[in-house]
Amino acid sequence: MVSPKDLVLITGATGHVGSWTLVQLLREGYRVRAAVRSQAKAAAVLARPQIQALNPGHRLSFVTVPNITAPGAYDDAVEGATHIIHIASPLASGGNDVPLNQHDAHFIQPAVRGTISLLEAANLGGTVRRVVITSSFIALVPMDELNGTRKRDPSKPVSPNDRIPFAPGPYESEFAAYAASKVAALQQAEAWMERERPAFDVVHLHPGFVLGRNDTATTAGQAMQGTNSVVLALLLGKRFGPYAGATVHASDVARAHVSALEPTVLGNQSYILSQSARWNDAIAIAKREFPEAIKTKLLVTGGSVKTTPLPIDASLTEETFGFKFASYEEQVINVVEHFLELRLRKKTGVQMVSASAPKKQQVVVNVSAIAC
C-alpha cells in the first residue's frame, strides 16, 4: 500500500516507457522525484497534457543529473527516497550513426555505470527499500535466436531465470551493441548485489518490444521512432525483418513497474513482460479496425515484417502481478490510433483527446531504431 512517506525516484521519465510509468505512479498516489538531464527536460514533462490532467502539485519534483556516468551521479537524487525505478539507458539512435569504435562508450559503459552508480547511491543513502530496474527481453536471449539464424528449442521457452554471456565488441550494429549493454548491465547489477548485500532488494523487469501510444511524440514523424516504428512501418508498406515475435503493451510495462514496488512482489528476481506475437497480424487488425485509413491510403497492406518465433514463459509474471497482458491487437490499435490522431492534427490543427490505456503520407521510416 502507498504511504505518504513513500518517495519514488524515477529515471528515464522523459522516454516512452518512463512517461507511462510516471503517469501510473502519480495515479496510484506516490510522491515522485524524476531525475532529468536538464531543467528543460523537467519543463517538457510538466507541459504534457497527461501530467497536467493529474494536477500532481507537490507530489512531483525533479532533480537534475546531467551525466549518469559521473562518479556519485545519483548521490543527491536518492536522498530520502524509499524506492527507485531505473529506466534510463542509452537507446539506438535510429540508424548506425554511432561509429563502431564508439559502441562501448555510447552503449555499454553508460548502461553499466548508470546502474551501478544508482545502486551505490541507494546503498549510501540508507532509506531505499527496493530498486526496480528496466532490463530487457533481449538480455535473456542470444542474438542468433533473436534474429532467427538459430532456432530455439520450442520445448525450452525463454524464462526469467535465463542468463546469457556478455559478448564484447566490436558489434555489427547499434542494436547488437544495445543488446550487449542490457546483458552487461544485468550481469553487473546482479554481481554487485551478491557482493555488497545491501539492505534493499532489486527487481529486474524484462519487456519485449514495447508497443503503445507514445505521448512524448507530438508529430507523426516522432511517432515513428522506437519500437512502435515496427508496426507503423509495416502499415506504411515497408518490408523488413526478421524481428522476434515478443511484444508487450506500454501500459502493462508501466503497471508492472509500479506494482513491483509492493513488498508482496518477490525481490531479487527477474520477471518477463512479453507475450508471443506475429508482426504481420497487424495488417488484418488495421483492415478491421481502421477501414477508412486503408481506403484513403493513410495505411496500406503491402508491407511485411518477418517474425522470429520465440517460446516465452511469462507465467511467473502473470501469477505474481495478477494480470493478463494486453493482446497484440490492443497494442496495435493503440499505436495506430495515436499515429492517425497526429496525422489528423497536422491537417486540422485540432488537439485530440489523449487515450492513456489500451482500447478497442509519406513518412521516412528507419526501422533500425528498435529497442526492447
Side-chain angles (χ1 to χ4, degrees), residues 37-86:
R37 292 183 181 245
S38 67
Q39 286 302 309
K41 295 285 189 181
V45 171
L46 288 172
R48 291 180 196 154
Q50 298 76 22
I51 298 298
Q52 293 180 350
L54 294 171
N55 191 26
H58 70 277
R59 291 194 299 116
L60 175 59
S61 61
F62 296 88
V63 59
T64 302
V65 181
N67 181 5
I68 66 174
T69 66
Y74 290 107
D75 287 357
D76 292 336
V78 304
E79 183 179 354
T82 55
H83 302 80
I84 297 173
I85 295 179
H86 180 45

Side-chain angles (χ1 to χ4, degrees), residues 279-320:
W279 292 105
N280 282 349
D281 286 352
I283 295 174
I285 295 168
K287 286 180 178 179
R288 182 170 61 253
E289 299 293 334
F290 305 100
E292 188 63 25
I294 297 291
K295 181 180 179 181
T296 58
K297 304 298 183 183
L298 281 174
L299 304 175
V300 299
T301 61
S304 180
V305 178
K306 185 177 179 181
T307 297
T308 299
L310 282 173
I312 301 168
D313 180 7
S315 58
L316 177 63
T317 304
E318 294 184 343
E319 293 167 3
T320 300

Side-chain angles (χ1 to χ4, degrees), residues 211-286:
L211 302 177
R213 66 178 291 131
N214 184 354
D215 285 315
T216 68
T218 57
T219 68
Q222 291 173 351
M224 295 298 307
Q225 299 172 2
T227 47
N228 287 342
S229 67
V230 180
V231 168
L232 294 174
L234 164 64
L235 295 176
L236 292 174
K238 304 297 180 179
R239 305 178 70 88
F240 56 99
Y243 286 111
T247 68
V248 62
H249 199 292
S251 65
D252 286 337
V253 179
R255 282 198 297 163
H257 276 77
V258 177
S259 296
L261 301 176
E262 296 289 345
T264 53
V265 174
L266 181 65
N268 297 324
Q269 173 66 51
S270 283
Y271 299 92
I272 292 176
L273 308 178
S274 191
Q275 61 184 354
S276 297
R278 293 181 301 183
W279 292 105
N280 282 349
D281 286 352
I283 295 174
I285 295 168

Side-chain angles (χ1 to χ4, degrees), residues 13-216:
T14 57
H16 185 196
V17 170
S19 64
W20 277 86
T21 305
L22 176 58
V23 168
Q24 189 73 21
L25 282 167
L26 293 172
R27 280 179 174 164
E28 295 197 19
Y30 283 97
R31 290 191 302 131
V32 183
R33 179 186 296 153
V36 294
R37 292 183 181 245
S38 67
Q39 286 302 309
K41 295 285 189 181
V45 171
L46 288 172
R48 291 180 196 154
Q50 298 76 22
I51 298 298
Q52 293 180 350
L54 294 171
N55 191 26
H58 70 277
R59 291 194 299 116
L60 175 59
S61 61
F62 296 88
V63 59
T64 302
V65 181
N67 181 5
I68 66 174
T69 66
Y74 290 107
D75 287 357
D76 292 336
V78 304
E79 183 179 354
T82 55
H83 302 80
I84 297 173
I85 295 179
H86 180 45
I87 300 173
S89 190
L91 299 175
S93 66
N96 283 314
D97 299 338
V98 181
L100 294 178
N101 63 358
Q102 295 181 24
H103 279 172
D104 184 77
H106 185 87
F107 294 103
I108 312 300
Q109 294 307 317
V112 172
R113 291 178 183 173
T115 300
I116 298 304
S117 177
L118 197 56
L119 293 175
E120 289 176 341
N123 199 27
L124 183 66
T127 58
V128 174
R129 301 197 297 269
R130 171 161 291 178
V131 179
V132 178
I133 298 177
T134 312
S135 183
S136 173
F137 183 78
I138 62 177
L140 309 176
V141 186
M143 183 58 67
D144 56 359
E145 293 183 3
L146 286 170
N147 61 29
T149 56
R150 180 167 66 92
K151 186 177 180 181
R152 189 180 184 95
D153 184 344
S155 67
K156 297 180 179 179
V158 181
S159 83
N161 295 321
D162 287 350
R163 296 293 182 268
I164 58 177
F166 169 70
Y171 304 102
E172 61 182 12
S173 67
E174 287 191 7
F175 180 71
Y178 166 77
S181 77
K182 287 299 188 181
V183 174
L186 175 62
Q187 288 185 354
Q188 292 297 319
E190 290 184 327
W192 186 93
M193 289 292 292
E194 179 66 24
R195 182 174 63 253
E196 300 296 332
R197 304 280 181 169
F200 58 85
D201 59 16
V202 171
V203 170
H204 296 278
L205 300 180
H206 301 268
F209 288 87
V210 180
L211 302 177
R213 66 178 291 131
N214 184 354
D215 285 315
T216 68

Side-chain angles (χ1 to χ4, degrees), residues 354-370:
S354 166
S356 58
K359 66 175 185 177
K360 220 178 158 181
Q361 103 225 60
Q362 180 61 36
V363 178
V364 177
V365 178
N366 193 327
V367 296
S368 62
I370 307 301

